[in-house]
Amino acid sequence: MRKITVLGLLAGILSFPALAQNKIEFKEFDLDNGLHVIMHQDNTTPIVVTSVLYHVGAKNEQPDRTGFAHFFEHLMFEGSENIERGEYMNIIQAHGGTLNAYTSNDITYYYESLPSNELELALYMESERMLHSKVDETGVETQREVVKEEKRQSYDNRPYGSILIETLKRAYSEHPYRWAPIGSLEHLNAASIEEFQQFYKDFYVPNNATLTIAGDIDYQQAEEWVRKYFSEIPKGTKEIYRPDVTEPKKTEEIRDVIYDNIQIPAVIQAYNLPPKTHPDSYAMSMLSTYLTGGNSSLMTKELVDKQQKALAIAAIPLELEDGGIFIMYGITNMGIEPQDLETEIDKLIKQVQAEGISDRDFEKLQNIIENDIVSSNSSMAGVAENLAEAHVIYGDANYVNKVMDAYSQVKKEDLQRVANEYLDLNGRVVLYYLPKTEQAAQ
């Protein structure tokens, strides 16, 4: 499950331990082929969410073949031996459902939400995707164009769109987190059909997948259908490749300038974080909320409202399995130089490092966390995703019921401690995003 990252400021009226986390009941079992299955029954509404989490992301790729995991997020909607090309989405939508998928550095996640009487259809569709997706020349060429267009719209032609790409390749020197999930179009163009087919055989196998069903189900019937559609899928024959790389701690600042199609400069800072499962990640999550999480956060009040040095300031705490990064960015106000904004950001970081936070601010943070945890499990889609991630990342699906307790162990002093531990001004990445017009004037 995702721990708290950039949060909305939800007003809380109770102290942190007062709001008990509602327990999520579930059942688990494994098939002989290694597929792990988690089922959660909630008969309050006639909806069921079916999801498959494949434990493969950008980090499982080779340096000269990046973008494969994200590419397969698209390719596996092409169809299968028994589902006509381009009909996957149409079939789900024709039965009253919605569906989507996403890829991160660590995982690829597919899900569909359907009326509960269509659960068997959802299981059949996901089993088809796992057993024999269409990984052929036609599908690959079609999705190459789709990914090219996505990269143009989301990265190349969007102001500040390359922040993640440019930050990752400087924040990591050795770990494969150094490239973003979108990867390289050159690598995708250079890859042979055999390479795509091998990637599918290596990673999209039942022993690298977690199937989650949440909603209006009968446990016995759901298990029967799971066994009917997934038991025949053969287990992968190769050991799943997982990079065994420890990113060295930075001891020097990395600083650079990126010229972009923008009108207003921006300042980006990035600090390396511990692994997602590290106990300090809870305190860092709360710290990021305190610094930039909403209109009443420290940096928004001080730099946007009071000093008016920034038009906006926010953070992206990218929590990753092997150690993520805390990306903070500020867009300068008119007439403000990036150096001026950076100086004020650093002053606030040093202030927290030296003084910590007040009791009142810490209590407000606790209330925000409470509300966020409750809201993350308020839908069947949220429950399904949180159960899957809890099993894969934390090794225990019951982690979904322990999140509140984990945050309750964080003390006010811990936020000051992790600020000093991880927001190291001498071991970070700093990027200035400047208009291309300034590059021409150099």
Side-chain angles (χ1 to χ4, degrees):
M1 156 178 190
R2 292 193 183 94
K3 294 196 295 300
I4 314 307
T5 54
V6 182
L7 303 172
L9 291 181
L10 303 173
I13 60 173
L14 302 173
S15 63
F16 195 48
L19 183 58
Q21 183 178 353
N22 292 330
K23 186 175 183 181
I24 298 173
E25 303 287 348
F26 58 90
K27 292 186 176 181
E28 299 176 276
F29 64 94
D30 291 298
L31 298 184
D32 291 342
N33 57 16
L35 178 68
H36 187 74
V37 184
I38 309 172
M39 303 184 297
H40 166 70
Q41 183 184 63
D42 184 336
N43 302 121
T44 55
T45 55
I47 299 294
V48 63
V49 173
T50 306
S51 72
V52 178
L53 188 159
Y54 292 95
H55 197 181
V56 55
K59 74 176 182 188
N60 302 92
E61 300 160 351
Q62 297 303 312
D64 61 347
R65 287 295 183 266
T66 63
F68 269 49
H70 171 258
F71 190 81
F72 267 85
E73 174 199 322
H74 292 270
L75 187 62
M76 288 177 69
F77 283 100
E78 275 288 300
S80 72
E81 291 181 9
N82 298 305
I83 300 172
E84 291 296 321
R85 190 179 305 280
E87 285 300 303
Y88 198 102
M89 290 186 181
N90 293 338
I91 292 171
I92 295 295
Q93 291 169 349
H95 288 80
T98 59
L99 70 168
N100 215 327
Y102 69 82
T103 308
S104 77
N105 302 75
D106 295 319
I107 65 171
T108 308
Y109 186 77
Y110 301 87
Y111 66 94
E112 47 267 320
S113 177
L114 281 157
S116 53
N117 62 352
E118 300 289 357
L119 172 59
E120 185 176 10
L121 171 67
L123 293 172
Y124 164 73
M125 298 290 282
E126 286 295 350
S127 69
E128 280 291 299
R129 176 148 48 195
M130 188 182 297
L131 180 58
H132 38 223
S133 281
K134 284 182 177 175
V135 185
D136 56 19
E137 291 282 5
T138 302
V140 166
E141 290 306 316
T142 299
Q143 295 309 322
R144 273 195 180 115
E145 294 306 312
V146 171
V147 172
K148 285 179 184 178
E149 183 61 25
E150 179 182 350
K151 188 174 186 298
R152 281 192 290 266
Q153 291 187 5
S154 299
Y155 297 88
D156 300 340
N157 299 330
R158 176 178 292 179
Y160 316 103
S162 64
I163 285 178
L164 181 62
I165 294 172
E166 297 293 347
T167 303
L168 286 175
K169 68 184 183 183
R170 293 168 176 84
Y172 297 94
S173 60
E174 297 184 17
H175 197 282
Y177 286 153
R178 63 185 182 271
W179 56 82
I182 191 68
S184 165
L185 295 183
E186 289 74 18
H187 294 171
L188 294 176
N189 288 334
S192 66
I193 187 62
E194 289 78 17
E195 288 177 281
F196 288 109
Q197 291 169 343
Q198 191 61 54
F199 195 84
Y200 176 64
K201 292 176 183 177
D202 289 347
F203 293 105
Y204 297 87
V205 290
N207 47 305
N208 196 41
T210 299
L211 168 67
T212 305
I213 307 167
D216 181 26
I217 63 172
D218 175 86
Y219 279 129
Q220 182 176 347
Q221 178 64 81
E223 181 172 344
E224 288 179 5
W225 281 334
V226 169
R227 295 187 182 279
K228 173 182 177 181
Y229 290 107
F230 288 88
S231 293
E232 66 173 314
I233 303 175
K235 184 177 183 177
T237 58
K238 295 174 60 176
E239 182 179 353
I240 304 297
Y241 165 68
R242 308 209 187 280
D244 183 15
V245 180
T246 300
E247 180 66 26
K249 182 177 176 62
K250 284 184 180 55
T251 57
E252 295 182 354
E253 182 183 76
I254 297 173
R255 184 174 288 268
D256 213 339
V257 175
I258 308 296
Y259 293 97
D260 196 9
N261 290 316
I262 56 176
Q263 301 299 317
I264 305 173
V267 177
I268 290 83
Q269 297 182 350
Y271 303 85
N272 288 77
L273 295 175
K276 192 170 183 176
T277 56
H278 193 286
D280 282 350
S281 59
Y282 301 97
M284 275 303 302
S285 175
M286 296 180 74
L287 177 63
S288 71
T289 303
Y290 173 70
L291 292 174
T292 62
N295 292 333
S296 66
S297 66
L298 175 66
M299 290 193 177
T300 299
K301 287 190 298 183
E302 183 66 26
L303 303 180
V304 177
D305 299 336
K306 184 179 177 181
Q307 298 185 28
Q308 296 186 352
K309 289 186 180 295
L311 291 175
I313 192 158
I316 309 169
L318 189 63
E319 294 180 315
L320 298 173
E321 194 172 11
D322 298 340
I325 53 173
F326 177 72
I327 305 175
M328 185 160 48
Y329 64 92
I331 300 176
T332 63
N333 210 337
M334 295 296 293
I336 302 298
E337 292 296 322
Q339 295 93 330
D340 295 338
L341 179 56
E342 181 190 359
T343 297
E344 296 304 321
I345 291 173
D346 289 352
K347 284 181 182 178
L348 294 177
I349 292 175
K350 292 174 182 177
Q351 175 184 312
V352 175
Q353 290 173 332
E355 303 172 12
I357 73 171
S358 68
D359 290 338
R360 183 174 179 274
D361 285 335
F362 186 63
E363 186 172 324
K364 183 174 73 173
L365 279 174
Q366 291 173 318
N367 290 327
I368 293 171
I369 298 298
E370 290 177 336
N371 282 283
D372 192 80
I373 292 171
V374 171
S375 65
S376 74
N377 291 318
S378 62
S379 68
M380 287 304 98
V383 170
E385 183 176 3
N386 289 340
L387 282 167
E389 282 204 21
H391 168 71
V392 172
I393 304 299
Y394 295 90
D396 178 11
N398 197 45
Y399 173 78
V400 296
N401 295 313
K402 301 174 181 178
V403 180
M404 191 86 80
D405 288 341
Y407 274 102
S408 70
Q409 301 302 311
V410 178
K411 307 302 180 188
K412 183 184 72 169
E413 295 74 21
D414 290 325
L415 272 66
Q416 182 179 6
R417 176 180 59 79
V418 297
N420 283 282
E421 174 91 15
Y422 300 106
L423 303 187
D424 182 1
L425 275 62
N426 296 315
R428 64 180 180 176
V429 175
V430 178
L431 301 178
Y432 284 1
Y433 265 66
L434 302 179
K436 284 189 174 180
T437 53
E438 293 192 21
Q439 183 181 23
Q442 292 291 323

